[in-house]
Amino acid sequence: MSVYTEQHGRGPDLVLLHGWGMNGAVWRELAARLESDFCLHIVDLPGFGHSVPLPAGSTLADWADSVLAVVPERAAWLGWSLGGLVATQAALQASERISSLITLASSPRFVSEDGWPGIRPEVLSGFEQQLAEDHHQVVNRFLALQAMGSEHAREDIRRLRDSLASKPAPDPQALAAGLGLLGEVDLRAQLAELEMPLLRLYGRLDGLVPRKAAVLTDTLAPDSRSHVEARASHAPFISHPEATAGHIRRFLQGKD
């Protein structure tokens, strides 16, 4: 299979999808807190970690299909940041495969525009231009952005870098494709089509998915639940793994 997965723990199946520039190792601390209750299927997205990149021009639906091909026929899915987009797309195109959906520091539309907060278009285009020159530096800059605002920012960055270094470096083509998805995809209108239980987790200090986006998404997905971690930034599962694991566990076990 071109998409690499690892399996840990036992119990109901839970698929975990990482964010841009990273790989499945980023889930290590959260996985340690969940594997006694769930069978975790930790995915390296195409072109990241041990997974092979998809062909040039692949769509978000292609990314979702590549994951659907290697995970259980029915499972709960958890996606962080870009992984949240992939998980949401999979839920839209294969709703019978996904029992519950959790997005973590993710947004149906990552780029800001009139009336919608997010990453400034010029910031994203700057990353895209720099990729051709030094993709390692771009990934490092993005790691710093993800931790910015966290009370443990320096430690968060170190943990993210350690995860990244534990597997092969991301493929430059996959990095460019992932940035393209972050810049182009808009799933806001489709959120109302989701039929499975949906939990949205955020960090209040997140500069990539601002808190206002969470409030606006409440309206787009009125049947969903959401929680904003007060002292977290873009990686609540790194800075606050115990609290994040608790929200996931209670939601999936129907105790919320």
Side-chain angles (χ1 to χ4, degrees):
M1 288 291 185
S2 59
V3 172
Y4 175 85
T5 65
E6 293 179 9
Q7 186 173 314
H8 299 272
R10 55 190 301 174
D13 291 309
L14 173 60
V15 175
L16 283 74
L17 305 183
H18 62 81
W20 184 85
M22 298 303 301
N23 58 55
V26 78
W27 296 115
R28 193 171 294 138
E29 291 187 43
L30 185 69
R33 291 164 168 81
L34 293 175
E35 59 187 9
S36 60
D37 296 294
F38 304 99
C39 180
L40 306 177
H41 302 266
I42 300 176
V43 175
D44 285 347
L45 289 173
F48 297 92
H50 295 296
S51 291
V52 176
L54 291 176
S58 294
T59 64
L60 182 63
D62 295 325
W63 285 59
D65 280 336
S66 72
V67 178
L68 285 163
V70 297
V71 298
E73 279 299 308
R74 187 164 171 83
W77 283 42
L78 164 63
W80 169 47
S81 196
L82 172 62
L85 275 184
V86 178
T88 301
Q89 178 63 35
L92 289 166
Q93 66 194 51
S95 60
E96 74 286 352
R97 298 277 309 272
I98 299 177
S99 56
S100 297
L101 174 63
I102 302 171
T103 61
L104 177 55
S106 194
S107 176
R109 175 65 169 162
F110 272 87
V111 177
S112 64
E113 56 186 60
D114 287 345
W116 186 266
I119 306 170
R120 296 197 312 276
E122 61 268 25
V123 171
L124 208 57
S125 62
F127 279 135
E128 290 172 337
Q129 291 168 13
Q130 293 161 23
L131 268 182
E133 301 164 13
D134 186 349
H135 64 272
H136 297 291
Q137 184 61 27
V138 174
V139 172
N140 282 330
R141 282 189 61 206
F142 202 75
L143 293 185
L145 272 180
Q146 292 180 61
M148 189 179 296
S150 169
E151 60 182 339
H152 315 295
R154 193 171 294 179
E155 178 66 12
D156 292 355
I157 292 171
R158 184 192 66 77
R159 291 179 181 178
L160 288 166
R161 283 184 178 152
D162 286 350
S163 300
L164 187 59
S166 69
K167 290 190 177 185
D171 178 83
Q173 177 184 314
L175 287 169
L179 276 186
L181 294 178
L182 290 175
E184 297 160 11
V185 169
D186 186 349
L187 297 180
R188 287 176 291 181
Q190 288 105 296
L191 287 187
E193 300 172 18
L194 294 172
E195 298 178 353
M196 70 286 297
L198 169 60
L199 173 65
R200 298 175 292 112
L201 300 174
Y202 301 93
R204 185 178 66 83
L205 307 173
D206 191 344
L208 300 175
V209 181
R211 187 179 181 184
K212 188 179 177 185
V215 175
L216 291 171
T217 307
D218 286 338
T219 304
L220 297 173
D223 294 331
S224 66
R225 304 178 194 176
S226 66
H227 172 76
V228 180
E229 193 66 39
R231 295 188 174 184
S233 183
H234 191 63
F237 66 101
I238 295 286
S239 60
H240 298 80
E242 195 66 44
T244 302
H247 289 293
I248 293 166
R249 188 181 298 108
R250 288 190 296 273
F251 174 71
L252 293 179
Q253 294 178 343
K255 295 177 182 177
D256 255 354

